[in-house]
Amino acid sequence: LDQDALRVISVLQRRGEHEAYLVGGCVRDLLLGRRPKDFDVATSARPRQIKDLFPRLGRIIGKRFRLVHITFNGHVIETATFRKAPRKSEDAPDDLLIVDDNEFGSAEEDARRRDFTINALFLDPFSLRIHDFVGGLEDLDAGLLRTIGEARVRMAEDPVRILRAVKFATRLGFRIESATWDAMCELAPDLGRSAKPRVTEEIQRLLRSGTALGAFRMLRACGALRVILPEIDDHLGAHDDPDPAVHDRADTFWRLLEALDADVHAGHTPDPAVCVAVLFLRVIEHAAHLDARTHDAPPQEIASAAAEVLEPFSLAFRLSRRDSGKAIRIITLQRRFTQTPSKRFSPLVFAKSEDFREALDLFRLRSMAWGQGWDVYEGWLHRFEEAQRSPPEELELARKRTRRRGRRRPRGDPKPAPP
Ligand code: ATP
Ligand code: MG
């Protein structure tokens, strides 16, 4: 148990005489024998009362959904007051989508407004008593992911819960209870109404999870992929398409996700731009009529296909300029890894360029997925390490040389992103 969280709970209970528990993901993970990512506290104390008990360490954050961050040497314990299920919007009483979520309530009400039964357990760390208002312990035992209350209603209230269901089911290896699954399939079209940054955040989490392959297969099966990433769903074709080319295309996409998972298991944390690039690489290469294995296409065509596919997506999903620009550039740069050095192309300058690290990460994933080019990857890794040690004068010299020889920017290099 986390000592800082214990301190928070102890002060709330003993000095403030409030109810206070560990709650949510940390209780679930502790019971499953997994290491919790963070320890959240829920309490009957109001934000102001929490703050008064921790005058120096506590900070009230959030305008609408106010909670208190209590910080011990940079380690934050998020402490929230029990809330009840939101009331329906008065303007549109039939619309279930949650708009306001900030009314205080009891511990039981707080449990019931949460998403899944396994996420709604309260643990008193001193008595070691677990408060289970929703049958979470039983589902945890059975390895079952189930919404609290009526699945269709809960998914309609917040369709991002569909993505969260996929995340928890794949991460924990849980089965999805059948009414919950049916509701996911039925309400997947509503994901189009959810706030885009939340959707983007969940997609990125799934990609970094180490179970991206299973997660994306599940997204496709419930129809969510069709709604959130229609280009990719199209690219994968129909499940039963007899055309071997379609099957092959889908296969290379799944293999890239498999490679990403292997990379995560080997201890890498993929850059968000690399994750986006993995998602769209095959769609872009296909649009540029590129042969996946030889990576042979006019460079300009890849650059423009990358921009054409990724820019609308980045806009719609509010991707940061940094991530979308980088994703486009590292896809375009892939051909550099197999280019022979010339007067215009200095491997040293390339290895020292801004996007090299992420471009090489993408190349590694491609090598893993296609099962070739690993030797090329290792060669570049070696060159990269050498380049770190090379004196600045050497780089300057190589830069001058390529600049002089290749008067213009070599064709196909992505244009620098606007500031
Ligand atoms: P992780 O290990 O990924 O952090 P978590 O269960 O802690 O998993 P969070 O996203 O950190 O998930 O949310 C904390 C808790 O808040 C959840 O366990 C759940 O009880 C509740 N919660 C989060 N998002 C929602 C949602 N969209 N609807 C209802 N409850 C939610
Ligand atoms: Mg959490």
Side-chain angles (χ1 to χ4, degrees):
L1 293 177
D2 183 88
Q3 292 307 307
D4 296 334
L6 292 187
R7 216 170 121 192
V8 169
I9 293 175
S10 152
V11 170
L12 285 165
Q13 289 184 348
R14 312 239 157 101
R15 216 141 46 75
E17 296 185 345
H18 298 288
E19 261 186 280
Y21 306 101
L22 287 170
V23 69
C26 68
V27 181
R28 173 198 71 215
D29 289 344
L30 285 169
L31 290 169
L32 288 173
R34 301 169 65 97
R35 182 191 293 274
K37 262 199 280 184
D38 37 37
F39 287 80
D40 296 334
V41 171
T43 175
S44 57
R46 301 295 163 95
R48 192 67 245 172
Q49 297 173 311
I50 305 171
K51 165 79 186 160
D52 287 345
L53 286 167
F54 297 91
R56 279 183 314 107
L57 305 177
R59 231 185 60 185
I60 299 182
I61 61 148
K63 280 216 182 79
R64 198 179 55 75
F65 196 103
R66 289 162 76 229
L67 40 86
V68 184
H69 276 179
I70 304 174
T71 310
F72 302 88
N73 293 321
H75 178 216
V76 177
I77 302 296
E78 201 169 282
T79 308
T81 308
F82 299 143
R83 281 173 171 76
K84 63 169 83 167
R87 282 172 305 176
K88 286 179 188 164
S89 144
E90 279 168 20
D91 309 332
D94 296 332
D95 194 341
L96 293 171
L97 197 73
I98 290 179
V99 282
D100 193 11
D101 188 8
N102 202 18
E103 223 182 306
F104 298 130
S106 65
E108 175 161 1
E109 284 168 324
D110 190 78
R112 292 192 184 282
R113 67 153 181 112
R114 291 172 184 271
D115 48 6
F116 303 105
T117 59
I118 59 167
N119 285 350
L121 297 167
F122 290 57
L123 169 65
D124 182 325
F126 299 109
S127 69
L128 290 181
R129 252 198 79 190
I130 288 177
H131 297 263
D132 178 8
F133 301 104
V134 294
L137 282 173
E138 206 176 301
D139 287 341
L140 210 54
D141 255 353
L144 210 54
L145 192 79
R146 182 201 310 267
T147 53
I148 296 165
E150 204 191 319
R152 285 183 52 239
V153 173
R154 303 309 310 282
M155 292 299 179
E157 281 174 357
D158 177 8
V160 172
R161 288 174 185 153
I162 297 170
L163 307 182
R164 292 176 56 83
V166 170
K167 172 173 73 180
F168 294 123
T170 48
R171 186 205 289 173
L172 306 173
F174 273 33
R175 270 183 312 119
I176 298 181
E177 175 263 341
S178 73
T180 301
W181 175 256
D182 291 346
M184 289 165 66
C185 298
E186 189 180 330
L187 288 149
D190 281 22
L191 266 168
R193 299 172 67 194
S194 295
K196 291 290 195 290
R198 287 185 67 209
V199 173
T200 312
E201 181 57 38
E202 290 297 338
I203 297 174
Q204 285 282 4
R205 284 208 189 133
L206 293 178
L207 287 168
R208 287 192 304 258
S209 66
T211 49
L213 177 65
F216 273 75
R217 282 199 192 280
M218 204 181 270
L219 288 179
R220 184 154 151 85
C222 72
L225 195 65
R226 155 129 303 272
V227 182
I228 55 179
L229 296 164
E231 312 80 348
I232 293 172
D233 197 65
D234 278 347
H235 176 80
L236 296 173
H239 285 287
D240 47 1
D241 198 314
D243 183 355
V246 172
H247 180 265
D248 225 37
R249 227 162 62 192
D251 192 50
T252 52
F253 174 79
W254 296 121
R255 279 209 243 157
L256 261 177
L257 289 188
E258 208 177 2
L260 189 66
D261 288 342
D263 222 29
V264 170
H265 287 295
H268 290 104
T269 307
D271 185 275
V274 174
C275 290
V276 172
V278 162
L279 270 190
F280 286 97
L281 181 72
R282 296 298 296 127
V283 177
I284 289 165
E285 291 182 338
H286 187 69
H289 307 291
L290 183 97
D291 183 325
R293 279 153 226 277
T294 59
H295 212 271
D296 209 6
Q300 198 47 54
E301 224 165 287
I302 300 184
S304 57
E308 227 160 86
V309 172
L310 275 177
E311 270 164 11
F313 169 78
S314 308
L315 271 178
F317 282 84
R318 315 251 174 84
L319 223 59
S320 73
R321 268 215 162 278
R322 182 244 175 225
D323 291 351
S324 68
K326 207 184 224 350
I328 293 174
R329 291 194 301 275
I330 65 178
I331 288 176
T332 314
L333 283 171
Q334 292 305 300
R335 53 184 276 279
R336 290 276 183 227
F337 293 107
T338 45
Q339 190 177 347
T340 36
S342 71
K343 291 170 185 166
R344 279 187 177 181
F345 175 55
S346 149
L348 177 64
V349 174
F350 179 40
K352 289 288 264 187
S353 64
E354 194 199 329
D355 299 312
F356 181 83
R357 207 49 256 216
E358 291 81 12
L360 185 61
D361 283 344
L362 182 60
F363 187 81
R364 179 180 60 241
L365 295 170
R366 290 176 53 229
S367 308
M368 285 200 263
W370 317 157
Q372 61 181 55
W374 193 257
D375 47 335
V376 180
Y377 161 70
E378 286 186 327
W380 278 103
L381 186 63
H382 182 65
R383 217 159 300 162
F384 174 72
E385 281 157 5
E386 262 179 7
Q388 303 312 302
R389 291 191 297 267
S390 78
E393 310 84 63
E394 198 179 322
L395 177 68
E396 208 33 55
L397 194 67
R399 272 210 185 111
K400 268 189 198 140
R401 262 195 219 131
T402 44
R403 226 179 276 147
R404 210 180 312 138
R405 298 260 164 71
R407 255 158 281 145
R408 295 186 301 136
R409 206 162 8 93
R411 277 203 319 134
D413 269 7
K415 293 198 185 75

